[in-house]
Amino acid sequence: MAASSVASPLCTWLVAACMSVTCDRDHSTTPSLVSSPRRLSKWARRRKVSAQCSSRSPEFKMGGLIPSFCGSSIQGLMSSCLAFEPCNDYYSSNGLSSLGSNGFSSLFRSNSVATNGRRRRINRAAHSGETVAVAVQPAEEVTTKKKPFTKQRRVVVTGMGVVTPLGHDLDVFYNNLLEGVSGISEIETFDCAQFPTRIAGEIKSFSTDGWVAPKLSKRMDKFMLYMLTAGKKALADGGITEDIMNELDRTKCGVLIGSAMGGMKVFNDAIEALRISYRKMNPFCVPFATTNMGSAMLAMDLGWMGPNYSISTACATSNFCILNAANHIIRGEADVMLCGGSDAAIIPIGLGGFVACRALSQRNSDPTKASRPWDTNRDGFVMGEGSGVLLLEELEHAKKRGAKIYAEFLGGSFTCDAYHMTEPHPDGVGVKLCIEKALAQARVSKEDVNYINAHATSTPAGDIKEYKALVHCFSQNPELKLNSTKSMIGHLLGAAGAVEAVATVQAIRTGWVHPNINLENPDDNVDKNLLVGSTKERLVVKVALSNSFGFGGHNSSILFAPFK
C-alpha cells in the first residue's frame, strides 16, 4: 500500500515530463497509470501542458520509454525518473501540488533551493531559444576528492620464535638446519605398529615452564601450547620487555596465528569420553579444539586488543596469516603483529587420515632419509609438528623503540588452483600466477630474487609442478638457489610456512642457506645447479621468496629482503 500511494503521483509527474518531449505518442495506455477519476482529470491538464511543450521540440521521440516506467516496482520508477526534468510550463501548472505541500523534497529529500535553481536554468534556456525539454541533459556529476598520496607504511621483522623437531631456540634450530641434521624419527607418543607409516618429525622434549601457566598447560591442546610458547619467544627475541609492553598502544597490537588442523587431540579425547558419557567430556573441548583459540588465548595473556583471529588454509595457513598481518600494519590498523602458524597432528587420527590419503612416506627403516624433496626415490611427505611465529612491526615504530631489525617484509599474494582437492594443477598455472602477483604487489623484479625456500614436500607430483613454475618465472636468473626445509623437519602442515619463513629470514640474517639433504639422485626434470647441494652454501640474499601450498588448491607466496 505504501509503495502504491507514492507511485501514483510519481507516475503522474513522470508521464507529464516524458510527454513534454513528444507529440505523436499514442496515449491510449496512459490512463492505466492513474487509478482514480480525480487523477484522470489531472491527466487531462497534463496533456494540455505537454502539447505546448512538444510543439517546441518535435524532434524528440521517446520510443518505448514510457512502458519502461510502468512496471510494478517503485524502485524501477524512481531510478528511471532521475534522468528527466519537466519543462517550465509543467512547473507553472499545479502538477507538483499532487505530491503535497512538500513537493518532491519529501520524496527525494531535496530542498526548495535546488528546485528553484532548476527552474531558473530551464527558464533561461527557454528565453534563449534553446530546446525546453531537458530529458537528454546528464545528471549532475558527483565529484569525489582524491585522497592525498601517502607513503606506504613499511613492515619489518623484529622478532622470531620457534618450536620444532630440531630445537626450540632460534639459533639452535637454524644451526641444525645448516649442519644438515634431520629431525625425522620413529613415533614414540603412541603405538603405531598397525600403520604403514611409523615415522614423523615428532617433538621429543618440550616444556612450557616459564611460558604458559601450569593450569592451562594441563588443559590445552599441544597446538595451542606450541603457539603460545613460540609467540612469547618471538616477543622476547624482539626485545618486548615488560617496560616496553606497558608503553605499547595495545589497541594497535594484534595476533594472527593460524592452524590447519586445530586441537585434534582435545577433540579426539572428547569423542572417547563421549563413548562413556557426556559427563566425562572436558568442558573446554570445544573452545580448545577451534583453530582461532590459540590466537585468542595469546592476546588475552598479553592484553593485546588489536586485530585477532586465525586463518586456516591447510598447509598454506602460515603464509596467509603473515601476509594478512602485514596488511593490517600497512593499512594502519596495527603497529605490531604476532603472526604465523601451529599444528600438532601426530596422533592416531591424524596419522591415519594422511595414510588413508596415501600421501605419506613409508621409509620406516631409515627415517632420516625419508624426506627427500626433488630426489628420484621420494615416496611421499613426512608429517611434522611445531610452531613458528614472527613479530612484524611498522618500521618507524620499531626504530622509535630501538628494535633490532632482521629483515623487511616486502609483500606477497594468494591464488587458488580451482582444480582438485589434493592434486596440484598439471600446468602449475595457479602457482605461476601467485608468484607473479606477489612480485607485482611487492614491486620486485624477477632478477632480484636469488633465494627461494620452496614448498617442496617430497611428493612425486608436487615437487616437480612447483619446480617448473619456479623455472618459468625465474629462468633468467643465474644466481637463483632453491632449498626445502622439509627435507630435515618434515611437513609441519599449518605451521610449515611460518617455520620456513623463519629459516628464510635467518638466511638473510646470516648469509648462509641450508642444504637439501637426501638429494642423492635428483629428478630428471630438475637442474641440480639451481638446488642447494648437500652442504650449506654462502649466499648474499637480495630478495627471498617463500612458497606454501595447501589442500584445496590454496597457493601463497611471500617475499623478504635485507633491511636497507
Side-chain angles (χ1 to χ4, degrees):
M1 287 294 293
S4 62
S5 65
V6 178
S8 180
L10 180 60
C11 289
T12 302
W13 183 85
L14 282 172
V15 173
C18 296
M19 291 303 297
S20 69
V21 292
T22 182
C23 61
D24 54 356
R25 175 72 178 169
D26 181 8
H27 303 297
S28 60
T29 60
T30 52
S32 64
L33 295 172
V34 189
S35 57
S36 69
R38 184 184 175 196
R39 295 284 183 255
L40 284 171
S41 63
K42 290 178 183 292
W43 171 249
R45 293 200 301 272
R46 306 297 183 275
R47 289 187 60 181
K48 287 184 178 182
V49 175
S50 62
Q52 295 173 7
C53 295
S54 60
S55 64
R56 300 178 187 176
S57 53
E59 66 275 21
F60 290 95
K61 304 294 181 181
M62 299 305 289
L65 189 58
I66 290 179
S68 69
F69 292 146
C70 301
S72 60
S73 171
I74 182 63
Q75 290 88 348
L77 289 167
M78 292 178 68
S79 62
S80 300
C81 80
L82 294 178
F84 295 92
E85 287 278 1
C87 67
N88 61 326
D89 287 309
Y90 181 75
Y91 280 118
S92 64
S93 72
N94 62 348
L96 286 171
S97 63
S98 62
L99 284 176
S101 60
N102 291 331
F104 278 103
S105 63
S106 63
L107 186 60
F108 295 112
R109 300 181 185 271
S110 60
N111 54 40
S112 60
V113 176
T115 304
N116 293 334
R118 286 194 294 269
R119 293 171 70 176
R120 286 195 296 270
R121 288 196 298 272
I122 295 170
N123 288 334
R124 284 198 298 270
H127 290 303
S128 62
E130 295 176 12
T131 304
V132 174
V134 292
V136 294
Q137 289 184 357
E140 292 182 11
E141 295 183 2
V142 178
T143 58
T144 56
K145 291 183 179 180
K146 291 184 178 179
K147 291 183 179 180
F149 175 77
T150 55
K151 189 175 181 180
Q152 178 171 300
R153 286 156 58 98
R154 296 170 67 181
V155 180
V156 292
V157 181
T158 57
M160 297 181 288
V162 293
V163 175
T164 76
L166 285 182
H168 317 321
D169 176 82
L170 199 60
D171 291 329
V172 170
F173 162 67
Y174 198 63
N175 286 334
N176 280 332
L177 286 180
L178 293 179
E179 296 303 315
V181 177
S182 175
I184 311 301
S185 60
E186 292 184 359
I187 296 173
E188 298 177 2
T189 307
F190 61 95
D191 182 8
C192 55
Q194 61 174 320
F195 295 99
T197 294
R198 298 181 291 278
I199 56 174
E202 185 182 49
I203 294 175
K204 302 300 184 184
S205 61
F206 172 71
S207 173
T208 60
D209 291 348
W211 303 108
V212 183
K215 189 174 183 180
L216 288 176
S217 293
K218 295 177 181 179
R219 294 175 173 176
M220 286 182 173
D221 189 276
K222 282 201 297 184
F223 98 95
M224 294 177 67
L225 297 177
Y226 293 162
M227 183 189 298
L228 266 63
T229 302
K232 291 188 176 181
K233 287 187 174 185
L235 285 177
D237 182 60
I240 304 291
T241 63
E242 185 175 349
D243 290 338
I244 292 178
M245 182 74 80
N246 292 332
E247 295 174 0
L248 295 176
D249 179 357
R250 301 195 182 197
T251 64
K252 301 294 285 294
C253 299
V255 183
L256 211 177
I257 307 174
S259 176
M261 311 300 288
M264 294 188 71
K265 179 68 164 58
V266 166
F267 200 73
N268 184 75
D269 290 348
I271 293 174
E272 293 300 319
L274 185 60
R275 296 180 189 279
I276 301 172
S277 169
Y278 72 89
R279 294 185 177 88
K280 298 291 185 180
M281 294 175 66
N282 180 349
F284 298 99
C285 65
V286 172
F288 282 175
T290 57
T291 59
N292 71 297
M293 198 53 64
S295 283
M297 293 299 293
L298 183 54
M300 292 176 202
D301 197 346
L302 301 175
W304 285 13
M305 301 171 66
N308 183 277
Y309 57 100
S310 69
I311 297 172
S312 183
T313 49
C315 304
T317 291
S318 287
N319 276 13
F320 273 70
C321 291
I322 293 169
L323 181 51
N324 277 278
N327 286 337
H328 283 299
I329 295 174
I330 291 170
R331 293 194 296 264
E333 298 162 356
D335 292 327
V336 181
M337 291 290 296
L338 284 170
C339 57
S342 183
D343 260 320
I346 302 177
I347 61 174
I349 191 172
L351 179 65
F354 282 109
V355 165
C357 290
R358 300 180 181 179
L360 300 181
S361 170
Q362 298 183 16
R363 196 182 290 263
N364 300 304
S365 59
D366 195 357
T368 61
K369 298 286 187 181
S371 185
R372 44 198 317 116
W374 298 301
D375 188 80
T376 302
N377 297 316
R378 64 192 184 280
D379 67 331
F381 76 83
V382 178
M383 287 182 68
E385 63 179 351
S387 178
V389 176
L390 280 70
L391 178 64
L392 297 186
E393 199 165 346
E394 194 273 324
L395 175 59
E396 297 306 320
H397 187 278
K399 284 182 176 180
K400 185 177 180 180
R401 69 176 187 87
K404 65 179 182 294
I405 297 175
Y406 289 137
E408 181 172 4
F409 179 83
L410 300 182
S413 185
F414 323 122
T415 60
C416 179
D417 281 348
Y419 172 73
H420 191 272
M421 280 194 299
T422 59
E423 292 295 322
H425 194 285
D427 298 328
V429 61
V431 175
K432 294 174 188 174
L433 179 62
C434 185
I435 295 170
E436 290 170 353
K437 287 178 64 178
L439 294 171
Q441 192 273 337
R443 297 180 176 87
V444 171
S445 65
K446 295 178 180 180
E447 292 74 23
D448 288 336
V449 179
N450 65 338
Y451 170 54
I452 297 174
N453 190 301
H455 179 67
T457 60
S458 187
T459 58
D463 290 7
I464 297 303
K465 296 296 187 299
E466 180 187 13
Y467 175 84
K468 289 181 177 179
L470 293 172
V471 170
H472 171 82
C473 294
F474 302 104
S475 60
Q476 303 302 317
N477 192 344
E479 301 178 359
L480 186 65
K481 285 295 180 179
L482 280 66
N483 64 9
S484 173
T485 306
K486 293 182 181 72
S487 65
M488 285 172 273
I489 62 173
H491 192 350
L492 273 60
L493 307 177
V499 172
E500 289 159 15
V502 170
T504 301
V505 173
Q506 287 288 68
I508 293 172
R509 176 189 177 195
T510 64
W512 289 96
V513 292
H514 69 70
N516 289 301
I517 69 169
N518 303 324
L519 187 59
E520 298 166 354
N521 298 296
D523 193 289
D524 294 337
N525 294 299
V526 303
D527 179 1
K528 64 180 182 180
N529 294 320
L530 288 178
L531 306 178
V532 180
S534 58
T535 59
K536 64 183 180 181
E537 294 184 15
R538 173 68 74 177
L539 182 66
V540 178
V541 179
K542 297 177 181 177
V543 177
L545 173 75
S546 182
N547 283 336
S548 286
F549 315 128
F551 282 180
H554 303 294
N555 306 309
S556 61
S557 299
I558 55 177
L559 293 150
F560 298 92
F563 170 68
K564 297 178 181 179

